[in-house]
Amino acid sequence: HFAQCSLGGVVDAGVLAKKYHTSVYDMLYSVIARDKKCILITADENFVKKTKFRHVKLLGELVKKVS
């Protein structure tokens, strides 16, 4: 199953990427997760630190909780 992003979502990703100094590519995943009301799990520690979005979780932190 592929998630799609609307044109508004792409524009939003561009605006947010500029605001948080990330790539639009990375921010697209965050916008899709936000719009789909999902959690985005990433290994990109810098993205998590820069954005501090509640719907973005660091893979390493989730692994620690399970161990």
Side-chain angles (χ1 to χ4, degrees):
H1 180 74
F2 291 97
Q4 295 181 345
C5 193
S6 67
L7 179 58
V10 173
V11 171
D12 197 20
V15 170
L16 290 169
K18 186 173 182 178
K19 177 179 179 179
Y20 290 100
H21 306 285
T22 68
S23 72
V24 175
Y25 177 84
D26 288 341
M27 194 58 77
L28 277 170
Y29 285 98
S30 176
V31 168
I32 291 170
R34 180 199 66 195
D35 291 351
K36 299 288 184 184
K37 296 179 178 29
C38 308
I39 299 295
L40 173 63
I41 300 170
T42 181
D44 188 341
E45 191 172 344
N46 287 328
F47 185 82
V48 174
K49 285 181 180 179
K50 286 179 181 181
T51 61
K52 296 184 174 91
F53 294 150
R54 289 192 295 190
H55 68 279
V56 178
K57 304 295 181 192
L58 187 61
L59 176 63
E61 292 298 318
L62 296 175
V63 170
K64 287 179 188 175
K65 288 181 181 179
V66 174
S67 299

